[in-house]
């Protein structure tokens, strides 16, 4: 034992392993004195042990939450059918979850596109979105159309604008290409058709290619919202004697200024955005953490710290 460090008295608390009782030494955490911890046991005063038990209960509660809260994987280029199969879990682009993809009932007389691809977009700072790859051409008497609905939910972030545009489009005669975007800001479409009865604020925009002339991109702004319901209606119509063709229809969303977080660094309790923040338990006090780790950290020389995932 080092000179000048007096041994501390030994007391017993019942640490039961089978039928045995083990002695637990009482190190002086404030001064750093006392014998070091053994390899198999953390030697604590009984009061500190109770604090650790309390901290472990919090950790277990958070682990249970993490286990029951779906943390979506990043969105990847795939088919619309695959996106529909993601269901409510969806996938993420930056700090946003895209989920609940569905095909709504198309207009009478239309036929669905053979295949639609979905490409996530996040290359421009502050802008996220989806490209719908259609790659379809319609001749006289042919009308392709699909209504695609989905939700966008911020993970510690919000949206305050949207834009819509089409690329690789053409039309002739009475043919036309149309893409309509219906937004329900901070709400849902509650109507049976999936595109009416917005419970929030509805905003709409449209782009067309008629007579060989395509509209430029359109955009609109709105108050920041953590969630949007979106319906994109894509149509390629050859008309009675014309043609229409379309490569891509694109939805873009403007990320409102502010902090967000990676979906894997955030554990959402609800779409609205309650989150588990770091907790720092030190000698019975609980504070907001300043960093985070997925593993508890026991700092023996002075106090105990347990750090949990949090949003920065």
């Amino acid at each position: 034992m080092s000179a000048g460090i007096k041994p501390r008295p030994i007391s017993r608390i019942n640490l039961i392993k089978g039928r045995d009782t083990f002695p637990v030494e009482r190190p002086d955490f404030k001064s750093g004195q006392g014998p070091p911890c053994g390899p198999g046991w953390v030697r604590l005063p009984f009061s500190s042990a109770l604090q650790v038990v309390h901290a472990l209960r919090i950790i277990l509660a958070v682990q249970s939450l993490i286990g029951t809260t779906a943390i979506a994987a990043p969105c990847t280029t795939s088919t619309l059918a695959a996106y529909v199969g993601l269901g409510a879990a969806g996938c993420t682009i930056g700090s946003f979850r895209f989920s609940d993809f569905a095909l709504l009932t198309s207009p009478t007389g239309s036929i669905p596109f053979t295949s639609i691809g979905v490409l996530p977009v996040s290359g421009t700072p502050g802008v996220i979105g989806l490209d719908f790859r259609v790659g379809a051409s319609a001749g006289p008497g042919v009308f392709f159309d699909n209504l695609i609905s989905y939700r966008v939910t911020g993970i510690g972030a919000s949206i305050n604008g949207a834009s819509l545009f089409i690329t690789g489009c053409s039309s002739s005669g009475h043919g036309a290409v149309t893409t309509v975007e219906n937004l329900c800001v901070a709400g849902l479409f509650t109507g049976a058709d999936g595109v009416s009865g917005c419970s929030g604020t509805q905003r709409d925009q449209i782009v067309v290619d008629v007579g060989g002339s395509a509209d430029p991109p359109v955009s609109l702004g709105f108050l920041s919202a953590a969630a949007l319901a979106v319906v994109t209606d894509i149509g390629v119509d050859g008309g009675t004697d014309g043609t229409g063709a379309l490569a891509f229809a694109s939805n873009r969303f403007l990320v409102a200024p502010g902090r967000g977080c990676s979906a894997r660094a955030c554990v959402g309790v609800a779409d609205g955005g309650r989150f588990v923040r770091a907790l720092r338990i030190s000698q019975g006090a609980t504070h907001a953490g300043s960093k985070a780790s997925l593993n508890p950290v026991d700092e023996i020389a002075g106090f105990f710290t347990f750090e949990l995932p949090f949003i920065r």
Side-chain angles (χ1 to χ4, degrees), residues 141-190:
V142 177
F143 175 28
F144 293 109
D145 192 275
N146 275 124
L147 276 77
I148 305 165
S149 70
Y150 61 95
R151 296 190 67 193
V152 184
T153 306
I155 308 171
S158 58
I159 294 172
N160 63 1
S163 64
L164 176 71
F165 58 93
I166 51 179
T167 53
C169 54
S170 64
S171 62
S172 66
H174 288 92
V177 174
T178 62
T179 299
V180 180
E181 182 181 61
N182 305 115
L183 302 173
C184 185
V185 181
L188 296 171
F189 290 111
T190 60

Side-chain angles (χ1 to χ4, degrees), residues 48-87:
S48 295
L50 291 178
Q51 294 167 15
V52 172
V53 170
H54 176 66
L56 289 175
R57 286 175 177 170
I58 296 175
I59 292 171
L60 290 174
V62 172
Q63 289 178 337
S64 175
L65 173 64
I66 293 173
T68 57
T69 302
I71 302 177
C75 297
T76 59
T77 299
S78 189
T79 64
L80 179 58
Y83 271 73
V84 170
L86 295 175

Side-chain angles (χ1 to χ4, degrees), residues 9 25 72 90 132 137 162 191 219 223 250 279 303:
E25 299 184 48
F132 294 103
S137 298
S219 61
L223 293 177
S250 301
L279 299 179
F303 51 84

Side-chain angles (χ1 to χ4, degrees), residues 32 36 41 158 174 209 211 272 290:
W41 298 95
S158 58
H174 288 92
D209 183 322
S290 59

Side-chain angles (χ1 to χ4, degrees), residues 37-130:
C37 294
W41 298 95
V42 175
R43 295 165 176 162
L44 293 171
F46 185 65
S47 60
S48 295
L50 291 178
Q51 294 167 15
V52 172
V53 170
H54 176 66
L56 289 175
R57 286 175 177 170
I58 296 175
I59 292 171
L60 290 174
V62 172
Q63 289 178 337
S64 175
L65 173 64
I66 293 173
T68 57
T69 302
I71 302 177
C75 297
T76 59
T77 299
S78 189
T79 64
L80 179 58
Y83 271 73
V84 170
L86 295 175
C91 59
T92 59
I93 302 176
S95 297
F96 294 87
R97 181 194 301 265
F98 287 69
S99 64
D100 299 290
F101 285 81
L103 282 170
L104 306 181
T105 302
S106 296
T108 301
S110 67
I111 57 177
F113 291 102
T114 303
S115 177
I116 297 178
V118 183
L119 293 74
V121 177
S122 60
T124 302
V127 179
I128 59 170
L130 297 174

